[in-house]
Amino acid sequence: MYKIILPLRYLVNRRISLLAVSAVALSVFIASVVLTVMHGLVGDFKEKNHLFVGDCVVSTPSLVGFAYYELFVEQLEAMPQVAAVSAVVKSYGLFTMGDRHSGGVQIVGIDPIRHGRATGFAAGIHYHAGDLASLFEPGYDPNLPGCVFGIDRIFLKDDDGAYQYDPCVPHFGFDITCFPLTAKGALRGLGSVSSKRFYLSDVSWSGLARVDDHYVYLPRAEAQTLCGMGGRDKRINAIHVKFSEGVTPEEGTERVRDLWTDYRENRSGASLAYLMDTVTVSDWKRYRRASIAGMEKEETAMIILFVLVGITTVFIVFVVFYMIVTHKVKDIGILKSMGASSLDVMALFGGFACLVGLCGAALGLLGGWQFLRRVNALEDWLHEKWDFQVWDRSMFAIGDIPHDIEPSVMGAIGISAIFACLFGALLPTWQAARLRPIETLQANQI
Amino acid sequence: MTDQKKIIEIRDLHKSYQMGSTRVNVLEGANLSVRRGEFLAILGASGSGKSTLLHLLGGLDRPDQGRVLFEDQDLRDYKRGRLNRFRNRTVGFVFQFYHLIDEFNVRENVLLPAMVGKSVLAWLAGRSQPKRRADELIEQVGLEDRALHKPYQLSGGERQRVAIARALMNRPELLLADEPTGNLDSATGNSILKIFEQLNRAGQTIVMVTHDERIAQMATRAVVLVDGKTVERRVGQPS
Ligand SMILES: Nc1ncnc2c1ncn2[C@@H]1O[C@H](COP(=O)(O)OP(=O)(O)OP(=O)(O)O)[C@@H](O)[C@H]1O
Ligand SMILES: [Mg+2]
């Protein structure tokens, strides 16, 4: 019974125990807040990348592209695992707007309805939201050839990160210029460029900085013509695939890869078969790894930093416990002289450590949860009152500070805290408990 | 009243302490045997090894050499669990410096040996009896109105009385007391000695360390520790 009463008394009567609880609570609080925010940022970034490309991409890095895709698209659509497919042209070009603006763009030729089904493209459209069929019809004159620019090329953000849209799509015309390549990869002819004027019909938002200020979407047939990929054996650069509910990107991708291997074998005799050699099938993570990897590296670095902070915390908790147990060595001697075993003593102080860890972890997690719940309100308030923003929303594609609690992360933090306490308490306890009672009583302090 | 059966015996006991480079030989071949129902006083100058000897008798420390036999069994041969039971039930120890648990009140301190001897469930099932016993003991040492006080609220004499009550909690066969009156004024000391006298009259075997000749008069028998050895000394018969 003393194994239950005594730890409770230590906790309540000793100010240093309350300090230990505070130390644990503070570390748990900081870890839970920072890891939640970091986890949220990385998760959000991955989700945006996932939405941007769909579940799986069949693509070639070559600007020449690959042919014979129509039949493959049909075969894909017939697969039970596949929900939507979008064949896409990707190339590079220049745009000029009168004599004032010019720059490089990534040209993306799409069928808007199909692309909207295969990826999260539809959700980022502003003026034609819910009506992708007429995406390339400018509001001011539906008969003009339309184009959709990445939003950052067209509109600015205010301090709160909201885009300052014009009420109607602005009447902008862009000359888009491209160097058409033959199927052999050569320029169509020396000095040959193809150029066409398109009119802004909408803007597209993906939340990815490199996309939103570099992309221009055109109707696929227009893009094919512009890039020299039209004609008899039409070419494209990528096929985006979305899988049915319940199919993971990894297993779906595996199926698509099998299908592609067969398809390619069957076509090996065709005249443009060699273009299929550079085509790879990858899931969205692999396809976007160049941009995700950086973020993941940051997350890993963050976790390593936190492990270091965690080690420091464990050490602090250890020191606090060492002090507490050292003060209580006399009690260990008394208990042992009355016949308590070393194991009893370990259980007593282990129980005390668990109690401190549990209280500290609970307080820290509760504090973290409450803080995260209010973090955005707090940031808004700081912004209003002191003009302070954690992230400048006019620069970063972040809406709210992530605050979704991840139970597994919270659980891991709480359990680590309790283990840190146990570790801190049991080492000095073990040192004291293995001595003979009288040694402990006389030593008084380790 | 004194039955002749030996309860505990030491044979050729050696104990030394290493302090830095010097070795202090405290006990050098001490012999002693205690009979049931006896009140034995151990006398000796300060630093002669009285506490050391008592700790060895109570199984709180191990000798370097020689044997401590409880009912003819060497404590050295005890398994760990048996030794713990020996410390918990067989002996009651009153320390020279009380050694109470600061977080516990008087009643809880007295109950401690009973709690140590039982698992939580066993304790919850049968706690009323030890509680009654604790209250009796607290009354016996005259602390009934201090039962809920913490040790820091008590005087030295009162703490010593708590320590005595605690030592008696599990009805030990052998009560070992290390200068229970050493830090007390003579009036308080006398009241505590009375308790021991009463206990002994009721059949309790007591070994008490003291360097007060006057106290030794009350004992059935006295030994003096000189040069690490025990020297028997006849004293006045108990009344
Ligand atoms: N843990 C220890 N380490 C080193 N020396 C010790 C230790 N315990 C006791 N001693 C030494 O052993 C000797 C005997 O000590 P002990 O406490 O048994 O004496 P004592 O007869 O009880 O003295 P007192 O009457 O002052 O209580 C002393 O010289 C003491 O310094
Ligand atoms: Mg002593």
Side-chain angles (χ1 to χ4, degrees):
Chain A
M1 197 61 196
Y2 67 101
K3 277 182 252 171
I4 296 174
I5 305 174
L6 206 50
L8 284 169
R9 297 281 168 83
Y10 286 161
L11 184 69
V12 179
N13 293 357
R14 297 263 139 192
R15 206 164 297 163
I16 195 163
S17 317
L18 297 180
L19 280 179
V21 170
S22 315
V24 175
L26 196 66
S27 331
V28 166
F29 171 80
I30 292 172
S32 69
V33 169
V34 175
L35 289 182
T36 297
V37 171
M38 195 64 203
H39 195 75
L41 284 179
V42 174
D44 179 63
F45 185 70
K46 281 189 187 167
E47 185 56 25
K48 280 173 178 162
N49 274 284
H50 188 178
L51 281 173
F52 176 60
V53 299
D55 291 327
C56 164
V57 186
V58 181
S59 65
T60 171
S62 154
L63 286 177
V64 176
F66 61 98
Y68 316 134
Y69 63 93
E70 289 100 333
L71 198 61
F72 184 64
V73 167
E74 272 172 37
Q75 288 184 7
L76 275 176
E77 283 172 331
M79 282 172 73
Q81 293 90 349
V82 171
V85 183
S86 168
V88 173
V89 171
K90 289 180 182 175
S91 189
Y92 293 95
L94 301 168
F95 78 90
T96 51
M97 185 188 177
D99 49 11
R100 283 181 296 151
H101 295 294
S102 61
V105 278
Q106 165 122 42
I107 295 168
V108 185
I110 56 165
D111 171 339
I113 294 182
R114 282 167 162 273
H115 202 62
R117 285 196 198 120
T119 68
F121 178 72
I125 294 303
H126 187 69
Y127 296 102
H128 293 80
D131 176 27
L132 286 181
S134 61
L135 178 68
F136 292 115
E137 295 172 9
Y140 39 86
D141 184 352
N143 295 317
L144 291 173
C147 67
V148 174
F149 261 82
I151 190 164
D152 289 338
R153 279 280 177 197
I154 310 294
F155 296 124
L156 294 174
K157 277 191 263 189
D158 64 15
D159 283 352
D160 296 328
Y163 283 99
Q164 297 166 308
Y165 291 104
D166 289 1
C168 295
V169 65
H171 193 313
F172 291 158
F174 301 93
D175 290 317
I176 294 177
T177 307
C178 193
F179 303 90
L181 296 175
T182 66
K184 291 273 178 224
L187 275 173
R188 268 283 140 79
L190 221 52
S192 80
V193 292
S194 50
S195 187
K196 180 168 176 174
R197 177 162 295 185
F198 291 90
Y199 292 87
L200 188 69
S201 63
D202 212 320
V203 289
S204 148
W205 174 88
S206 69
L208 303 170
R210 296 283 302 158
V211 173
D212 287 347
D213 71 351
H214 272 78
Y215 274 47
V216 58
Y217 292 90
L218 301 175
R220 189 174 64 220
E222 296 275 13
Q224 278 173 324
T225 312
L226 209 58
C227 303
M229 297 164 91
R232 200 167 55 85
D233 287 323
K234 288 194 183 64
R235 283 173 281 137
I236 54 160
N237 304 79
I239 303 170
H240 293 246
V241 183
K242 184 191 166 109
F243 296 123
S244 317
E245 200 90 18
V247 180
T248 67
E250 292 75 21
E251 36 182 73
T253 302
E254 209 48 52
R255 289 295 160 76
V256 172
R257 192 171 291 135
D258 293 345
L259 187 73
W260 174 255
T261 312
D262 289 350
Y263 185 80
R264 195 179 132 192
E265 224 141 81
N266 291 339
R267 310 248 129 195
S268 55
S271 61
L272 295 182
Y274 63 93
L275 288 178
M276 294 197 274
D277 293 349
T278 58
V279 174
T280 53
V281 179
S282 23
D283 62 32
W284 68 272
K285 265 187 216 160
R286 183 150 269 283
Y287 184 68
R288 293 292 295 172
R289 68 176 179 277
S291 55
I292 293 176
M295 194 79 172
E296 280 186 334
K297 258 184 221 142
E298 273 177 37
E299 193 185 23
T300 312
M302 199 73 180
I303 288 171
I304 291 172
L305 283 179
F306 257 82
V307 167
L308 293 181
V309 173
I311 291 172
T312 317
T313 310
V314 170
F315 186 70
I316 290 170
V317 170
F318 174 79
V319 170
V320 172
F321 268 98
Y322 207 98
M323 282 162 63
I324 294 176
V325 176
T326 305
H327 271 98
K328 293 283 126 198
V329 160
K330 194 187 87 177
D331 288 9
I332 297 178
I334 295 171
L335 289 167
K336 288 206 72 180
S337 74
M338 281 174 198
S341 67
S342 303
L343 224 64
D344 289 335
V345 172
M346 300 286 277
L348 171 78
F349 282 89
F352 174 56
C354 280
L355 203 63
V356 169
L358 220 61
C359 291
L363 280 175
L365 290 177
L366 194 76
W369 175 52
Q370 289 297 327
F371 179 79
L372 287 166
R373 248 172 48 131
R374 296 184 170 81
V375 66
N376 283 294
L378 186 72
E379 206 220 6
D380 287 348
W381 180 81
L382 283 175
H383 184 49
E384 258 169 47
K385 197 103 180 160
W386 309 100
D387 206 29
F388 171 81
Q389 249 188 332
V390 178
W391 285 290
D392 185 348
R393 301 299 199 284
S394 60
M395 283 170 69
F396 295 102
I398 292 165
D400 281 351
I401 297 174
H403 58 273
D404 285 335
I405 306 283
E406 185 71 39
S408 59
V409 174
M410 296 285 149
I413 294 171
I415 289 170
S416 320
I418 293 170
F419 270 102
C421 294
L422 266 179
F423 176 71
L426 289 185
L427 198 71
T429 305
W430 178 72
Q431 278 189 344
R434 73 205 166 96
L435 296 176
R436 273 166 260 157
I438 219 62
E439 290 176 309
T440 318
L441 277 173
Q442 284 176 339
N444 234 326
Q445 313 226 318
I446 301 179
Chain B
M1 193 154 59
T2 316
D3 93 32
Q4 293 302 299
K5 208 166 174 290
K6 274 183 296 193
I7 176 165
I8 198 159
E9 186 179 6
I10 56 175
R11 287 200 198 139
D12 191 31
L13 215 55
H14 287 75
K15 179 79 186 173
S16 59
Y17 294 106
Q18 189 74 44
M19 284 202 296
S21 55
T22 54
R23 196 161 190 86
V24 186
N25 293 314
V26 182
L27 298 177
E28 295 176 280
N31 289 290
L32 181 68
S33 106
V34 184
R35 287 181 292 276
R36 252 174 217 285
E38 205 173 23
F39 185 165
L40 176 74
I42 298 176
L43 290 144
S46 182
S48 58
K50 305 183 293 296
S51 295
T52 304
L53 178 64
L54 207 65
H55 295 151
L56 292 169
L57 282 173
L60 303 184
D61 207 352
R62 269 165 178 267
D64 299 338
Q65 223 184 86
R67 311 209 286 166
V68 180
L69 304 163
F70 181 79
E71 294 181 328
D72 295 326
Q73 259 214 308
D74 198 332
L75 293 191
R76 205 180 279 253
D77 300 334
Y78 277 20
K79 293 248 160 49
R80 210 168 284 176
R82 174 90 199 272
L83 188 61
N84 285 333
R85 270 201 304 285
F86 175 78
R87 289 169 185 161
N88 183 242
R89 307 225 179 104
T90 313
V91 270
F93 208 103
V94 182
F95 290 101
Q96 191 169 2
F97 304 106
Y98 332 123
H99 289 327
L100 301 177
I101 296 217
D102 299 330
E103 276 77 14
F104 277 174
N105 63 28
V106 168
R107 196 154 178 262
E108 289 162 335
N109 264 296
V110 173
L111 276 170
L112 191 58
M115 288 199 265
V116 168
K118 283 194 173 118
S119 72
V120 173
L121 287 180
W123 172 256
L124 289 175
R127 71 200 139 158
S128 56
Q129 210 191 331
K131 279 187 171 171
R132 227 175 304 128
R133 166 130 181 102
D135 289 337
E136 276 168 30
L137 286 167
I138 291 168
E139 206 184 314
Q140 197 179 341
V141 297
L143 288 175
E144 53 272 40
D145 50 347
R146 314 301 301 267
L148 299 180
H149 288 193
K150 294 271 174 72
Y152 73 88
Q153 296 167 309
L154 303 178
S155 71
E158 286 163 341
R159 288 182 211 187
Q160 192 61 280
R161 282 186 271 166
V162 178
I164 293 167
R166 179 180 65 183
L168 293 169
M169 182 67 214
N170 281 352
R171 300 176 197 276
E173 293 172 52
L174 181 62
L175 182 62
L176 304 173
D178 194 353
E179 297 197 43
T181 59
N183 309 312
L184 308 177
D185 65 86
S186 62
T188 323
N190 282 340
S191 75
I192 285 177
L193 284 173
K194 279 221 178 71
I195 299 172
F196 280 94
E197 245 186 331
Q198 278 167 13
L199 286 168
N200 180 239
R201 224 172 282 142
Q204 177 73 57
T205 313
I206 300 173
V207 177
M208 187 192 285
V209 162
T210 178
H211 47 213
D212 188 340
E213 289 279 351
R214 201 170 49 85
I215 296 168
Q217 302 293 320
M218 292 180 171
T220 342
R221 193 157 66 95
V223 293
V224 188
L225 260 181
V226 186
D227 300 333
K229 291 193 175 66
T230 43
V231 179
E232 196 81 21
R233 212 180 79 173
R234 276 276 150 207
V235 289
Q237 293 298 112
S239 52

